[in-house]
Structures are given as C-alpha cells and as structure tokens.
Amino acid sequence: MKMAKFETMDEDSLLEAIEFAETEKDFETIVGILKASCSESKPVEDCETVAEAACDAMLRASSRTENATAFETFGASEAICSAMKRFAEQPAIIEVCCGVIKDLASSNIVNQNNLAEAGATKLLVTSMNYHTDGEATLQEQACLAVESLSKGNAKNAKLLVDAGIKTSLEQAKGLITNDRNKTYPDIALACINAALGE
C-alpha cells in the first residue's frame, strides 16, 4: 500500500490494517501508516489514535533485533522522529516513541546514526524538558533511549550533550518515582561520558 492510500483510509480501516500488519510482520505497512498519520494534511486530533497504534505495534515488534533492523529498511527512524514532532504534546505517543528509539538504537550502529540524522537527539531532550508533570514513565523511557543512542557512539553522545541532555537527565532524577528506575539518568549519563572518553 502506498502512503497516499493510507491518507485516504478512515481510522477504523487503518487500525485494522495495523493489527493485520503486525500479525503478518508487515513492517512496511506499519511504518507507512505511521508516516501517513504524521502528514500535515489532517489535524493532529484526527490522527493521534492511529499514530499511537502504529507506534505501539512498532514497539511490540522492535524489541527483537532482527525486527528493529527490518523496520529500518522502511524508514522507521524517520517515521518515529516525525511522530515525535507531530505529536509533541501527546505524552502517551512520545513515551512509546522513546521505547521504539531505544529498541532501534540498540540493534545496530546504522540505526543509531539514522536516528540521530532524523533528529532523535534533540527530540529526546525537547520531550524530556516538555513532559515533566506526572510523566515519570516517559522520563524513564527517554533515559533508556538516550543510553541506547549514545552507547559506543561518540558522535551521538556529542549531539546529545550539545542539545542539553545533561540538564534533562539531572531533571529526570527528580521526576522518576519508581525506586528501581531512579538510576536510569545516571546510567544514561555514564554511557554518554564513556562514549566521549570522559
């Protein structure tokens, strides 16, 4: 299916297509629907349910390395960053996007670099700084995404630092409420420092 076709489908049809694509491991369709939902041709509120469903499907599938690699062949990094821009004020979507970034970046250096080129480093900082009220889980997922993006990647670590991640990680320490996960900001910062040789 072409992106133009997705843009003309109604919400119920798109949700059914996502569900079917997920069971069939049709990653091209999932990414295509996400890209279509990020189009400026419709108001944000008309697209957020579909975008969240596509992101959720990506998150469920991308935890497997081979799936994360397959998603990227269809432009997953660009799509997930587009979703973060288009739905910047929607914490549920941003949280899932952070989880997808974590999975994509964990799979290989090509995905790490593609995510950075698509703007993930700045988008993570922006999201962490914007979603501070009652969004502890979003902060956790963002920290995990930062760790995955910077692990062994000095270029991405520098981009994160230049975008202001150190302040965001310090702020996250006070926002994360789950005791087990309070170490996430420190782990992410340690990963950045290690990548930079500090």
Side-chain angles (χ1 to χ4, degrees):
M1 285 194 207
K2 301 277 187 214
M3 192 167 112
K5 181 174 182 175
F6 295 137
E7 289 179 358
T8 61
M9 292 170 67
D10 65 39
E11 183 176 285
D12 289 338
S13 298
L14 287 166
L15 293 173
E16 286 176 18
I18 291 167
E19 188 176 327
F20 183 74
E22 186 177 0
T23 61
E24 296 297 311
K25 294 187 176 183
D26 179 0
F27 303 142
E28 182 177 16
T29 293
I30 295 169
V31 172
I33 291 173
L34 180 58
K35 286 179 180 178
S37 72
C38 294
S39 167
E40 300 286 333
S41 64
K42 294 181 184 176
V44 168
E45 59 273 8
D46 291 352
C47 307
E48 42 186 271
T49 301
V50 170
E52 187 171 0
C55 289
D56 283 339
M58 286 180 74
L59 181 61
R60 286 188 292 271
S62 65
S63 62
R64 296 181 60 118
T65 300
E66 65 272 16
N67 291 349
T69 302
F71 267 119
E72 191 55 33
T73 62
F74 303 111
S77 292
E78 181 185 331
I80 210 70
C81 288
S82 292
M84 289 185 81
K85 291 174 194 166
R86 180 83 163 125
F87 304 101
E89 296 181 9
Q90 305 302 320
I93 295 176
I94 297 299
E95 181 180 321
V96 177
C97 288
C98 289
V100 173
I101 288 172
K102 172 187 68 76
D103 288 344
L104 292 176
S106 295
S107 67
N108 60 60
I109 195 163
V110 172
N111 284 4
Q112 280 184 327
N113 293 337
N114 288 346
L115 283 160
E117 287 174 24
T121 53
K122 287 182 181 177
L123 289 165
L124 285 167
V125 172
T126 301
S127 297
M128 289 178 78
N129 293 342
Y130 184 81
H131 295 285
T132 57
D133 190 22
E135 298 300 336
T137 309
L138 184 152
Q139 295 289 327
E140 292 168 3
Q141 289 301 313
C143 288
L144 294 170
V146 167
E147 177 186 352
S148 292
L149 263 179
S150 63
K151 194 167 202 165
N153 192 317
K155 180 181 172 188
N156 285 0
K158 183 171 181 349
L159 288 170
L160 284 160
V161 169
D162 290 349
I165 195 62
K166 290 186 177 184
T167 302
S168 302
L169 291 172
E170 189 62 37
Q171 173 183 266
K173 290 180 187 181
L175 299 172
I176 295 173
T177 55
N178 184 322
D179 286 338
R180 287 187 329 244
N181 302 341
K182 286 184 181 255
T183 59
Y184 288 2
D186 288 330
I187 293 169
L189 183 57
C191 219
I192 289 168
N193 290 339
L196 294 172
E198 296 177 1

